[in-house]
């Protein structure tokens, strides 16, 4: 019963540009989020992670921060942030803000100073190397551009490192002044009362001082997906100590974008690094039972067994094609996938709009804005069926998602059979069933209990047990007897389970 809140919590990611506008504008803002918090309360999530809202030239839509201690006027001001935080806490919602410690904007005063001259006292806050303009210091590839991760600075005659856009120079965490500066930023938000941070590119901040070439077999891969060096672990321990010194179980949830769960697990350290880490291999797994069993077993083996740590589950976010679209577009699959997200052992992170069954928006060429091509999953949330979808403008910063006339919050709330109500029922079941939050976990082998297309598992604690079965194949027999608590198609809830699970269907069962 003393599990920390973040082990029981369901997280909800809000991308501020796309959630809601409180000021009748084409981009969302903090006031819009505050006005729509009732949606989160009605749905039944526990914590919000807010993507960046800090002042930014928006080369990477806010992940290029030019001032860590303020709010971009596009989103409001510090007062609107304080109001939002108070409103969250008033509704018993925790609030995480996004910390972007790997890099800043090239317009940040730190980089402007560093770039001004080789002798500037802040020069060494970033990663500079000598050389000639035609040969970068190593073969590292930048994300989004696919070009070199180094840009030649003509004025001062050196290269600077950027794992992402040239407008996002990497900070030099080998410099203790940088450590102090980012710790100061963390204290600023913790003192304001935030419940913790989602840490952007948490695995990227330490760099091997020798800057070795990436291996030939990962040619073309951005270095941001490969950087995995001991320096980072010490830096994360520093952040963890800082956060743990605050009262009230503050949290660091790191984005460790390495495509191996075994490597991701190492960033939990000895209980002294990240409290939680994203684990993206399952996000990239297709709708295939064998592949999912493998991902689930990897999380158990590496995160739970080896590191005695707490997994997270995520199917969609602001960087990737939404899972409904990736799984082929069927709503039935999106409904069944919710049972993976909310039923597996660990903390789920849902991305705003997945509870509506949103697909990626089709983005015409002349409306593409993201250098990483991620516009489709960032389409604005449709709140109603009218042409402005509750935004007060005819066109938002990106096109509306498909079928927004009928697939919007108001319409789905009116329809008890909708996917939105399914998410709500599942979240309610999770809340009232401690086994689903913190219970033990065992995957059920297909031979014992189910056909090969079915992924099934059991969760249990002293209060009881449940079985979850997700059918990624054809109609199948599932050898579990009991009562259906929640069904992905809503059929037969409260009744005995009939033994056959349809293809692309899922059930939560209280076994007999
Ligand atoms: O993403 C980091 C990241 O590694 C992936 O999003 C990226 O797609 C991958 O490296 C490409 O192979 C985080 C944020 O979530 C993202 O929105 C930012 O653009 C990025 O960091 C830079 O801050």
């Amino acid at each position: 019963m003393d599990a920390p809140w973040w082990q029981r919590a369901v997280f909800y990611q809000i991308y501020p540009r796309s959630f809601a506008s409180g000021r009748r504008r084409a981009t969302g803002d903090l006031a819009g989020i505050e006005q729509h918090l009732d949606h989160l309360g009605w749905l039944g999530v526990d914590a919000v992670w807010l993507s960046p809202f800090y002042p930014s030239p928006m080369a990477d839509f806010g992940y290029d921060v030019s001032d860590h201690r303020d709010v971009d006027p596009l989103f409001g001001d510090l007062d609107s942030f304080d109001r939002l935080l108070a409103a969250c806490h008033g509704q018993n919602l925790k609030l995480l803000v996004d910390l972007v410690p790997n890099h800043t904007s090239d317009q940040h005063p730190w980089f402007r100073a560093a770039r001004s001259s080789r002798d500037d006292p802040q020069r060494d806050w970033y990663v500079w190397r000598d050389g000639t303009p035609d040969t970068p210091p190593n073969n590292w590839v930048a994300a989004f551009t696919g070009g070199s991760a180094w840009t030649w600075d003509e004025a001062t005659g050196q290269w600077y490192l950027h794992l992402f856009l040239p407008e996002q120079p990497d900070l030099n965490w080998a410099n203790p002044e940088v450590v102090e500066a980012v710790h100061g930023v963390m204290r600023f938000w913790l003192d304001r009362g935030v419940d913790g941070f989602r840490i952007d590119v948490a695995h990227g901040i330490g760099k091997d001082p020798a800057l070795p070439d990436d291996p030939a077999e990962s040619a073309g891969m951005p270095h941001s997906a490969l950087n995995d060096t001991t320096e980072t672990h010490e830096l994360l321990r520093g952040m963890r100590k800082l956060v743990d010194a605050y009262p009230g179980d503050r949290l660091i949830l790191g984005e460790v974008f390495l495509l191996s769960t075994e490597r991701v697990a190492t960033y939990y350290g000895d209980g002294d690094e990240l409290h939680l880490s994203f684990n993206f291999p399952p996000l990239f797994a297709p709708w295939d039972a064998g592949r999912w069993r493998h991902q689930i077993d990897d999380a158990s083996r590496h995160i739970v067994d080896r590191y005695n740590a707490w997994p997270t589950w995520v199917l969609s976010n602001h960087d990737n094609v939404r899972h409904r679209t990736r799984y082929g577009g069927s709503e039935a699959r999106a409904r069944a996938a919710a049972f993976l997200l909310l039923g597996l052992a660990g903390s789920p992170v849902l991305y705003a709009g997945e509870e509506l069954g949103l697909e990626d928006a089709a983005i015409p060429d002349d409306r593409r804005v993201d250098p990483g091509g991620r516009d489709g999953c960032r389409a604005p949330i449709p709140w109603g069926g009218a042409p402005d979808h509750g935004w007060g403008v005819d066109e938002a910063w990106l096109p509306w998602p498909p079928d927004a006339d009928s697939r919007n919050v108001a319409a789905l709330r009116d329809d008890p059979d909708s996917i939105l109500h399914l998410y709500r029922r599942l979240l309610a079941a999770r809340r009232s069933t401690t086994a689903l939050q913190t219970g033990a976990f065992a995957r059920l082998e297909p031979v014992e209990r189910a056909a090969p297309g079915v992924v099934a598992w059991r969760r249990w604690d002293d209060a009881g047990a449940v079985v979850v079965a997700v059918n990624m194949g054809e109609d199948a027999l599932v050898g579990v007897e009991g009562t259906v608590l929640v069904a992905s198609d809503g059929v037969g809830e409260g009744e005995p389970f009939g033994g056959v699970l349809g293809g692309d269907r899922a059930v939560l069962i209280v076994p007999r």
Side-chain angles (χ1 to χ4, degrees):
M1 279 294 139
D2 341 281
W5 67 268
W6 43 266
Q7 293 187 345
R8 301 178 175 279
V10 175
F11 293 82
Y12 186 93
Q13 180 193 358
I14 290 181
Y15 193 68
R17 297 180 76 88
S18 304
F19 192 67
S21 169
R23 302 186 287 188
R24 306 176 71 82
R25 294 196 188 158
T27 43
D29 51 37
L30 299 183
I33 299 171
E34 190 189 341
Q35 288 166 19
H36 288 84
L37 280 186
D38 57 335
H39 173 67
L40 277 62
W42 178 86
L43 187 61
V45 297
D46 307 289
V48 173
W49 149 36
L50 264 190
S51 278
F53 49 78
Y54 315 110
S56 164
M58 303 286 168
D60 189 14
F61 296 103
Y63 282 94
D64 49 326
V65 178
S66 55
D67 179 356
H68 295 97
R69 298 169 184 240
D70 206 346
V71 174
D72 195 284
L74 192 65
F75 299 121
D77 54 23
L78 280 172
D79 286 340
S80 43
F81 177 82
D82 289 339
R83 275 197 301 276
L84 174 60
L85 179 60
C88 285
H89 287 166
Q91 284 205 24
N92 258 327
L93 283 168
K94 304 280 189 184
L95 182 66
L96 305 187
V97 296
D98 214 308
L99 180 74
V100 189
N102 180 68
H103 46 267
T104 66
S105 162
D106 63 347
Q107 299 307 309
H108 195 293
W110 299 343
F111 190 70
R112 284 168 169 279
R115 193 177 204 171
S116 67
S117 106
R118 287 207 197 190
D119 306 323
D120 188 88
Q122 276 178 295
R123 179 73 170 181
D124 185 50
W125 284 38
Y126 293 83
V127 184
W128 297 94
R129 284 295 181 277
D130 288 332
T132 51
D134 43 300
T135 320
N138 67 15
N139 72 353
W140 292 1
V141 170
F144 313 141
T145 69
S148 172
W150 297 90
T151 287
W152 177 255
D153 183 56
E154 196 59 58
T156 58
Q158 280 189 316
W159 294 91
Y160 69 86
L161 176 68
H162 52 87
L163 299 191
F164 297 89
L165 298 172
E167 293 87 350
Q168 295 169 291
D170 276 46
L171 283 163
N172 174 21
W173 278 79
N175 182 336
E177 290 172 13
V178 167
V179 177
E180 238 347 277
V182 177
H183 283 191
V185 170
M186 295 176 77
R187 287 192 203 95
F188 176 85
W189 293 103
L190 290 166
D191 290 342
R192 274 199 125 74
V194 304
D195 299 290
F197 303 96
R198 176 269 189 185
I199 303 180
D200 192 60
V201 200
H203 64 296
I205 58 178
K207 306 288 184 321
D208 182 335
L211 300 173
D213 273 346
D214 282 330
E217 64 263 26
S218 38
M221 272 269 252
H223 184 71
S224 60
L226 301 166
N227 196 77
D228 184 17
T229 176
T230 50
E231 285 77 10
T232 302
H233 296 275
E234 181 59 33
L235 297 169
L236 292 177
R237 283 192 285 274
M239 289 188 182
R240 172 68 176 261
K241 263 199 204 108
L242 184 157
V243 165
D244 279 354
Y246 277 78
D249 274 342
R250 314 285 175 109
L251 167 71
I252 51 177
L253 158 59
E255 184 204 27
V256 178
F257 194 99
L258 294 172
L259 298 177
S260 143
T261 299
E262 186 172 3
R263 296 307 309 156
V264 167
T266 65
Y267 288 82
Y268 288 89
D270 193 10
D272 56 357
E273 297 184 33
L274 299 172
H275 297 93
L276 291 177
S277 175
F278 282 121
N279 178 38
F280 290 135
L283 187 152
F284 295 115
W287 190 245
D288 175 277
R291 300 279 286 276
W292 266 93
R293 280 194 283 271
H294 178 78
Q295 295 300 339
I296 293 166
D297 292 349
D298 260 10
S300 299
R301 183 175 329 126
H302 300 301
I303 299 174
V304 181
D305 298 346
R306 168 84 174 76
Y307 279 88
N308 192 25
W310 199 259
T312 62
W313 297 96
V314 53
L315 299 176
S316 286
N317 63 27
H318 66 296
D319 288 333
N320 296 285
V321 173
R322 284 183 177 274
H323 64 274
R324 174 165 172 195
T325 305
R326 277 188 287 110
Y327 295 159
S330 102
E331 182 178 310
R333 286 186 183 175
R335 285 171 174 256
F339 289 67
L340 293 169
L341 184 77
L342 298 170
L344 288 168
S347 300
V349 186
L350 100 234
Y351 177 45
E354 71 173 74
E355 75 276 26
L356 310 175
L358 291 191
E359 291 189 78
D360 267 31
I363 313 285
D365 284 347
D366 63 346
R367 306 246 353 233
R368 289 185 188 282
V369 289
D370 178 47
R374 299 161 293 183
D375 301 311
C377 63
R378 298 174 177 178
I381 301 295
W383 293 97
D388 75 343
H389 299 296
W391 283 65
V393 289
D394 292 341
E395 277 208 344
W397 75 291
L398 285 173
W400 305 108
D403 309 322
D405 296 353
S406 51
R407 188 173 292 283
N408 57 66
V409 176
L412 299 188
R413 265 183 81 150
D414 282 347
D415 174 7
D417 296 329
S418 67
I419 185 170
L420 177 60
H421 278 266
L422 170 68
Y423 264 81
R424 187 169 186 243
R425 290 200 303 282
L426 267 177
L427 285 161
R430 203 185 142 95
R431 234 177 222 191
S432 58
T433 312
T434 52
L436 277 173
Q437 301 167 15
T438 49
F441 173 90
R443 203 167 59 65
L444 302 176
E445 288 304 330
V447 279
E448 294 167 41
R449 301 280 184 173
V454 176
V455 182
W457 63 92
R458 189 179 146 85
R459 305 286 312 273
W460 72 95
D461 63 10
D462 291 345
V466 289
V467 169
V468 182
V470 179
N471 189 355
M472 300 185 186
E474 305 288 308
D475 295 6
L477 279 171
V478 175
V480 178
E481 289 180 22
T483 306
V484 175
L485 205 56
V486 186
S488 67
D489 56 9
V491 175
E493 293 181 358
E495 293 168 19
F497 178 59
V500 175
L501 185 59
D504 295 338
R505 297 288 189 283
V507 276
L508 169 63
I509 296 171
V510 179
R512 222 207 334 264

